Amino acid sequence: MTMFRSIDELTRPLEYVSPMDELLGGMVRRWAEEHVIPHRRGFDEDWREHRRIEPALERLLGQLGLQRVMFPEEYGGWGLGHSGHFAVGCARLVEEIARADSGVAVAVGVTFWPMILICREPHVNHRLCRELAPMFCGTTRARLAANAMTEPQGGADIENLDLLRGSTLNTTAVRDGDEWVINGHKLWPTNTGGASALFAVVCTTRPGSTDPDDFAVIFVPADAPGVTQGAPYQKAGMAADKNSDLWFEDVRVPLWYRALGPGDDFTYFKEVISIGNMGSIAMVSGVLMNVYEVLQRFASEVKVGGRPLKENDAAAGVLADLVADLEVIRITCYQYARMIDRPDLYGPPWSDEIVARGRALKYSACDRALKSLGRAVNLMETHGVDRVWDVEKHWRDLKIIQLWMGGKQLCQMETARWYYQCETL
Amino acid sequence: MVRAEFPLVLGQPTTQDRRHMTYLLPVANDRIGDEQGAFADTVQKWAEREVMARRQTLREDYDKLLRPALGGLLQELGLQGHLWPESAGGDGETPRSASMTLALALEQVGRADTGIGFVAASGLAVAATIVDGADEVRAAELAGSFMGGEATLVAPVLGCLESRDDGLLLPDGRSLQATARRDGEQIVLDGKDVRPLCCGLDARLYAVLCRLEGGVGLLLVPGESAGIRRGEQTLQTGLAACRNAPVTFSDVRVPAGLLAVEGDAVYGALRTWLCLGLSAVCSGALLATCEILEDWAESRVIKGRGQRFVDNPLVAEVMAGVVQRTTLTRMAVRDLARTLTVTDQPGQSLLTALTVAHHAATTADEGLGRTMELMGSAGYATEWNLERYWRDIKTLHGHLGSEVLDRLEIARHCFGHGQGGARP
């Protein structure tokens, strides 16, 4: 039996991986190989009910406890939020999960995502951490969270912070005594359609305002009166990522459920964008890692003209391109994560510079990966589009990674704005 | 008679015209006759009424939408009889004279549903190969296999990745999946777990390109023949209208009269006609992409309140790129169709056909990918139908074959690749 090269032989900058890299990464890999990879082919048909998907999430988030990872130790968490290896640690986790299923990776990643605002140094909101930690740290049942950004009137406008500064937000938060009263309609948040226990709602305290003080992120429990979730959307892939409409109708939460307060919500939401892009690159890397594993087996087993496919020079060129792209994307992923972890060297992760670098690296990684994976799918002929090999699933999912968070065009504009100092884009 | 189906010069479209992207993407249709154009118009109207108008509610439901639509197209509309002699109840068109008609019709089918187009193109490629290689009497004898009382789903069996000879699909039979031999008045067929191009699960007729006693033959095998075992349905990325499955032929015996065509030329002819049909289907998917994009972009505003999506220069550039891809693909498909009207042996145009087909599939893949990038989440949500074309085209391209390996075939003919420098 042929022994193939391990994915652990792929390049990674070992000088700055997290001290808990092997502990956490190994745990997730074992979970993925037992609870996801053998079952993932059935996930597509499970997009509405999540009967097959939920057990995997229960195991990872609830029983193994990964949903505690962001919260400070004093509230029952694992303290990753204040670790100097936060981003590289997240990169490894997300990469490992995406290797098995990037839809599961986004469901897990988005659960951590809004917690960045309240769990990360130097802007930890201890009162909110203490309030929300029991939901995630005091249970062995899986708990998901959602970052409710996108609205019907303009898909990428909310993430376009540099230009629009929250001025297009139609979801409003009005102060009424000691409470916020929230009204609005969101589309597409990951972990909606009934999946989430908690929403971080991006909204405005003064519609049309470009003042950063009016940009707010407010946490809303999913069971608060006035919250309605729609039925899940059917998509081209990523069945584990459940999305739906989300309505807020006179939803009341305490004033202190606002993430950080006037001005700070806006500032640190850019960090959420940076880390979202880092996580996206990690997903691309994880996807290609698994494709590389599949291709090693496929190109060795399938004989063309009596020789393994990989021994045909033309085919080998396609195979080489994919792994070459994977190497570059993986190095990019860890390098960008390290930049987020070292603000002393690279500047704060909420700076326009780090946001722009993340946009550039994310769309470049997606473009590269889609091109090389698309060619590999075609090289496999009918096997490439046959669900048995799982490569087509990764191809579908990868396209979705490319398109979220404002898609390619917003990435291009934010890149051009910073690198070329554009003033009117 | 010359028929100007669509204006050849861009004008100001009326609201009615704008419903059809074909108006905005003019190509030279000056060699399309009245009857050919009328047939394409009929297919277009059928596609809009029977498929496009119903798919929002029925999605990719095979039993409620796709199978009935295939029946309507092949039998009621008569596409399956188009190439067969009038004496056998067909329309009596020769493949070469009808190549442009087929391209236009399949473009419209592909515009409505790539999978239905794929199945129709596969059946028509087999019919064209037979009719083009046989005299009228012989063609009339075989017509019955294709034109019974119901729609005939035809499953062509050619080569596959594993049967390629050092990457090449050779015309001499070495690259085929099934083997046949003569036994008196019968032909006996064997092949284990062969992969038909389409419809392995539902085919009423298998058209098996097989090795036959040192040569190559195209054998028609009725789906109910003894010795055929259909495997489990293959789950694939797209092409829901094409329910495929591996098929095993174990000592399957058919009358020798069902050996439709013999000789090396049949391989090239079948692939060439297939390339024409699939190219046209890709062209139709691109037309649909332009239409979806236009519909979607019409009401979008970005960068706050007021700026129309299409008024953004970056967006406009990408949209125009999709239109460029569509226009060039349509031109290439029409040029291939016209080439086939004048060629002596369709198989001699295989390299051109392969080039056009891979170009069309790659370009459709790119055009759909770029459109998805503009549409963001609407691009991958089933609601807008775009993602369906995107999955379908990728699947179609997989069935067309590996572009990298097919380039070896082109290099073999052009530069003597694998022949010690000698050109075949």
Side-chain angles (χ1 to χ4, degrees), chain B residues 127-287:
Chain B
T129 303
I130 294 171
V131 174
D132 202 50
D135 61 32
E136 186 172 334
V137 175
R138 179 77 182 118
E141 286 172 7
L142 293 167
S145 298
F146 291 78
M147 299 169 49
E150 58 182 296
T152 301
L153 300 184
V154 182
V157 178
L158 294 89
C160 65
L161 181 62
E162 292 88 336
S163 68
R164 284 179 180 267
D165 192 88
D166 204 21
L168 299 169
L169 285 168
L170 298 173
D172 60 7
R174 278 181 285 167
S175 307
L176 298 174
Q177 302 181 73
T179 307
R181 61 186 165 82
R182 293 175 209 274
D183 185 11
E185 295 300 308
Q186 293 182 318
I187 306 280
V188 185
L189 180 70
D190 285 288
K192 187 171 185 305
D193 287 332
V194 305
R195 269 184 176 247
L197 193 65
C198 66
C199 300
L201 195 68
D202 304 301
R204 195 170 150 226
L205 183 69
Y206 293 95
V208 185
L209 205 57
C210 52
R211 290 187 295 276
L212 177 68
E213 296 166 353
V216 178
L218 179 61
L219 185 67
L220 302 180
V221 182
E224 72 275 13
S225 305
I228 295 179
R229 184 169 55 79
R230 305 176 199 228
E232 297 229 339
Q233 183 181 352
T234 310
L235 292 178
Q236 51 187 18
T237 310
L239 299 178
C242 156
R243 301 203 309 180
N244 213 349
V247 179
T248 295
F249 301 101
S250 302
D251 203 32
V252 175
R253 291 171 177 270
V254 296
L258 289 179
L259 180 61
V261 190
E262 248 186 295
D264 289 1
V266 64
Y267 160 86
L270 181 53
R271 283 194 87 196
T272 300
W273 288 115
L274 197 57
C275 283
L276 174 67
L278 298 187
S279 305
V281 171
C282 292
S283 176
L286 275 165
L287 273 179

Side-chain angles (χ1 to χ4, degrees), chain A residues 40-51:
Chain A
R40 65 185 173 187
R41 213 163 295 147
F43 285 5
D44 272 322
E45 282 70 32
D46 195 29
W47 63 274
R48 195 193 308 264
E49 303 293 339
H50 274 199
R51 288 195 180 118

Side-chain angles (χ1 to χ4, degrees), chain B residues 15-33:
Chain B
T15 306
Q16 182 69 16
D17 288 332
R18 285 182 68 85
R19 286 181 53 244
H20 302 296
M21 189 52 79
T22 44
Y23 181 92
L24 296 172
L25 304 174
V27 290
N29 284 336
D30 59 327
R31 290 184 174 84
I32 299 172

Side-chain angles (χ1 to χ4, degrees), chain A residues 238-255:
Chain A
M238 281 212 183
D241 166 18
K242 209 184 255 194
N243 316 96
S244 76
D245 287 50
L246 184 58
W247 292 272
F248 300 93
E249 194 174 346
D250 292 331
V251 175
R252 289 177 174 269
V253 293
L255 282 183

Side-chain angles (χ1 to χ4, degrees), chain A residues 84-332:
Chain A
H85 291 87
F86 160 77
V88 289
C90 285
R92 173 73 197 272
L93 289 175
V94 171
E95 186 182 61
E96 286 290 345
I97 305 171
R99 172 182 162 252
D101 185 291
S102 44
V104 175
V106 70
V108 172
V110 167
T111 296
F112 307 155
W113 205 22
M115 304 309 170
I116 291 163
L117 285 168
I118 60 169
C119 295
R120 272 274 283 165
E121 297 290 357
H123 45 79
V124 179
N125 181 335
H126 284 279
R127 190 181 182 191
L128 257 182
C129 280
R130 193 181 304 115
E131 174 79 357
L132 299 177
M135 192 182 286
F136 297 89
C137 305
T139 177
T140 53
R141 296 301 309 275
R143 291 280 183 272
L144 298 172
N147 199 9
M149 289 192 291
T150 304
E151 297 184 352
Q153 73 280 2
D157 281 353
I158 310 298
E159 293 100 318
N160 199 347
L161 290 175
D162 209 22
L163 181 76
L164 299 170
R165 306 169 75 84
S167 61
T168 64
L169 281 162
N170 280 346
T171 301
T172 57
V174 176
R175 184 174 178 164
D176 182 17
D178 293 337
E179 292 180 321
W180 291 112
V181 181
I182 300 173
N183 282 283
H185 179 196
K186 297 288 186 181
L187 299 179
W188 283 103
T190 282
N191 295 334
T192 46
S196 268
L198 183 69
F199 302 113
V201 184
V202 179
C203 53
T204 180
T205 56
R206 197 155 59 96
S209 168
T210 56
D211 184 342
D213 287 356
D214 297 319
F215 180 95
V217 181
I218 299 173
F219 285 89
V220 175
D223 58 3
V227 175
T228 306
Q229 300 183 59
Y233 311 139
Q234 191 176 11
K235 316 188 293 282
M238 281 212 183
D241 166 18
K242 209 184 255 194
N243 316 96
S244 76
D245 287 50
L246 184 58
W247 292 272
F248 300 93
E249 194 174 346
D250 292 331
V251 175
R252 289 177 174 269
V253 293
L255 282 183
W256 56 278
Y257 270 39
R258 183 169 182 174
L260 296 165
D264 285 348
D265 283 357
F266 182 85
T267 298
Y268 297 115
F269 196 74
K270 291 183 183 177
E271 184 180 8
V272 172
I273 300 294
S274 293
I275 292 166
N277 282 316
M278 185 274 293
S280 299
I281 303 168
M283 284 184 213
V284 176
S285 177
V287 160
L288 287 192
M289 283 165 66
N290 191 234
V291 171
Y292 166 60
E293 291 176 284
V294 172
L295 284 178
Q296 284 195 81
R297 190 157 55 89
F298 180 85
S300 300
E301 287 177 4
V302 170
K303 304 283 195 300
V304 177
R307 292 189 300 162
L309 178 64
K310 67 183 181 184
E311 303 297 341
N312 179 292
D313 297 58
V318 176
L319 299 171
D321 284 352
L322 184 127
V323 81
D325 283 341
L326 167 55
E327 287 277 34
V328 172
I329 289 165
R330 198 161 193 236
I331 293 167
T332 297

